[in-house]
């Protein structure tokens, strides 16, 4: 049983280069692991029928779409160990569909996001928070709040205590068939309070080595590109049009990072929506912050927020309660 579990984790952490998640080894450095009798072949021996096609699909040697998806038995596409504080999130095992790796064992979360074989985001997800213009610091470890997985979605929520009696709650949600990814931070008081402190937030995501930003001219979304467009990044809490006022901004920094900055009072929510489906990139699109009501009352952004994203005929809704009074 332990061998099966370890072998499945080996398969889940295998990237298209034959390396593992959060490792930078090139394929030429992994000849021993990839050769007959090497690590990957040895791992498949625990369950050849399941692990062989999984590893081959992760390496890009075979595809798991179409008939093959029904003809083989593949492991689950979501792997999370709350003790190791490591999560692997895949739409399915086929390397062409991309994957997301999350390591929250340190003070800062490390994250890798692949669109197919292209590494869009790679490195430390940095966070800066000020309360009443005083910089705050993380003062504890990350812990799991919630995990969920089914045929449609993989979801992981974690939290970390901060000075100023605050909590940073982080959501990573992968829409499997839609090939969209939600990355979001919520800054909340650790205890129920009526205090109205001002909060400033910045989240910084490191771009992959070959990725460059391509901002839109009139709106606030941004493409991530190499030789082609690989992802559309939408800052949901920002105003859509460049000419309008906004409390949130998405910018590409000179040190090869994306930075989402926003501000609020008492509580705030900072979401990024990544569309990884290239066939949608040329469609008309829009997004809006929605009005949220509770018991015939319009609630403030420090209580609950809602957003709508539309790409052509497809649309999604995001809702987040920031107060126990708004469920």
């Amino acid at each position: 049983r332990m061998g099966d579990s370890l072998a499945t984790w080996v398969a889940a952490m295998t990237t298209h280069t034959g390396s593992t998640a959060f490792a930078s080894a090139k394929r030429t450095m992994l000849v021993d692991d990839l050769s007959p009798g090497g690590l990957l072949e040895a791992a498949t021996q625990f369950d050849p029928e399941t692990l062989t096609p999984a590893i081959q699909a992760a390496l890009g040697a075979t595809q798991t779409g179409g008939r093959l998806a029904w003809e083989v038995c593949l492991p689950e596409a979501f792997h999370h160990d709350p003790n190791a504080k490591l999560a692997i999130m895949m739409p399915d095992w086929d390397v062409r569909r991309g994957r997301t790796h999350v390591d929250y064992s340190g003070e800062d979360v490390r994250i890798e996001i692949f669109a197919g074989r292209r590494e869009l985001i790679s490195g430390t997800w940095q966070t800066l928070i000020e309360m009443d213009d005083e910089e705050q610091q993380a003062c504890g470890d990350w812990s799991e709040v919630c995990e969920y997985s089914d045929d449609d979605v993989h979801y992981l929520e974690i939290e970390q205590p901060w000075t100023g009696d605050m909590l940073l709650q982080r959501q990573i949600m992968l829409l499997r068939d839609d090939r969209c990814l939600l990355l979001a931070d919520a800054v909340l008081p650790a205890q129920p309070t009526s205090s109205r402190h001002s909060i400033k937030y910045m989240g910084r995501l490191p771009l992959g080595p070959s990725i460059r930003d391509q901002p839109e001219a009139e709106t606030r979304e941004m493409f991530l590109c190499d030789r082609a467009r690989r992802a559309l990044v939408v800052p949901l809490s920002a105003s859509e049009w460049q000419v309008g006022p906004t409390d949130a901004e998405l910018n590409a920094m000179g040190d090869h990072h994306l930075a989402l900055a926003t501000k609020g009072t008492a509580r705030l929510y900072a979401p990024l929506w990544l569309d990884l489906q290239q066939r949608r990139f040329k469609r008309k699109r829009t997004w809006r912050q929605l009005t949220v009501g509770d018991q015939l009352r319009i609630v403030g952004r420090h209580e609950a927020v809602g957003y709508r994203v539309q790409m052509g005929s497809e649309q999604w809704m995001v809702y987040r309660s920031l107060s126990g009074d708004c469920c």
Side-chain angles (χ1 to χ4, degrees):
R1 178 68 178 175
M2 186 177 296
D4 290 349
S5 177
L6 179 60
T8 303
W9 270 98
V10 168
M13 294 188 68
T14 298
T15 67
H16 68 279
T17 65
S19 184
T20 59
F22 302 108
S24 57
K26 297 181 179 179
R27 204 177 187 101
T28 54
M29 302 169 62
L30 302 164
V31 175
D32 290 341
D33 288 347
L34 296 169
S35 62
L39 172 65
L40 296 185
E41 184 178 294
T44 65
Q45 301 310 304
F46 287 94
D47 187 354
E49 184 179 358
T50 297
L51 294 177
T52 298
I55 289 179
Q56 291 300 309
L59 291 171
T62 60
Q63 300 174 5
T64 58
R67 291 179 57 197
L68 187 58
W70 300 95
E71 292 173 354
V72 301
C73 178
L74 293 166
E76 295 295 326
F78 177 67
H79 294 267
H80 174 226
D81 187 330
N83 295 315
K85 300 185 177 183
L86 178 67
I88 308 295
M89 310 168 79
M90 299 174 280
D92 59 45
W93 282 84
D94 194 333
V95 67
R96 301 174 306 162
R97 304 269 289 168
R99 52 171 52 206
T100 299
H101 308 145
V102 183
D103 175 5
Y104 60 102
S105 60
E107 181 176 302
D108 293 310
V109 171
R110 292 193 299 160
I111 187 167
E112 294 178 333
I113 300 172
F114 288 83
R117 293 176 172 83
R118 302 300 191 273
E119 192 173 31
L120 300 179
I121 303 294
S122 178
T124 300
W125 185 346
Q126 301 170 336
T127 311
L128 296 87
I129 300 175
E130 292 183 5
M131 185 174 71
D132 295 335
D133 295 324
E134 292 187 7
E135 186 173 343
Q136 305 299 314
Q137 304 291 333
C139 59
D141 297 331
W142 289 96
S143 59
E144 174 200 354
V145 176
C146 176
E147 73 162 65
Y148 179 80
S149 178
D150 61 20
D151 290 342
D152 299 316
V153 65
H154 299 319
Y155 177 80
L156 176 66
E157 184 172 341
I158 56 179
E159 71 177 19
Q160 182 184 47
W162 278 61
T163 57
D165 199 29
M166 293 191 299
L167 279 177
L168 175 61
Q169 289 188 344
R170 178 158 290 170
Q171 298 171 310
I172 302 100
M173 181 175 68
L174 175 65
L175 279 63
R176 300 179 62 180
D177 288 340
D178 293 342
R179 295 189 65 191
C180 295
L181 185 67
L182 175 71
L183 306 176
D185 278 347
V187 181
L188 309 169
Q191 303 294 331
T193 178
S194 59
S195 300
R196 299 296 299 272
H197 299 286
S198 66
I199 300 172
K200 294 180 181 178
Y201 163 93
M202 179 180 288
R204 287 165 42 87
L205 290 165
L207 296 176
S210 64
I211 298 300
R212 57 182 175 83
D213 62 283
Q214 186 183 81
E216 287 289 82
E218 298 181 343
T219 56
R220 298 186 189 274
E221 68 257 33
M222 179 183 298
F223 284 101
L224 301 182
C225 315
D226 48 17
R227 291 171 296 177
R229 291 175 169 180
R230 303 298 178 183
L232 175 68
V233 186
V234 180
L236 294 181
S237 56
S239 298
E240 180 178 7
W241 298 95
Q242 293 278 6
V243 295
T246 183
D247 287 335
E249 291 187 1
L250 176 66
N251 292 296
M253 312 302 286
D255 59 356
H256 209 56
H257 281 67
L258 288 184
L260 175 65
T262 187
K263 57 185 178 181
T265 302
R267 305 169 183 86
L268 65 77
Y269 188 57
L272 279 179
W273 182 268
L274 280 71
D275 190 340
L276 307 174
Q277 181 59 270
Q278 290 177 304
R279 64 176 172 79
R280 285 194 292 259
F281 290 173
K282 292 184 178 181
R283 295 180 182 176
K284 291 183 178 180
R285 56 185 178 271
T286 187
W287 81 89
R288 291 288 185 274
Q289 182 164 333
L290 304 176
T291 300
V292 178
D294 181 60
Q295 298 184 9
L296 304 180
R297 178 179 65 91
I298 295 177
V299 304
R301 289 187 300 170
H302 65 288
E303 297 175 89
V305 290
Y307 306 96
R308 178 176 68 89
V309 186
Q310 183 171 354
M311 307 286 179
S313 61
E314 298 178 75
Q315 58 181 320
W316 304 267
M317 308 283 284
V318 176
Y319 171 79
R320 168 72 199 227
S321 173
L322 301 174
S323 168
D325 296 331
C326 297
C327 299

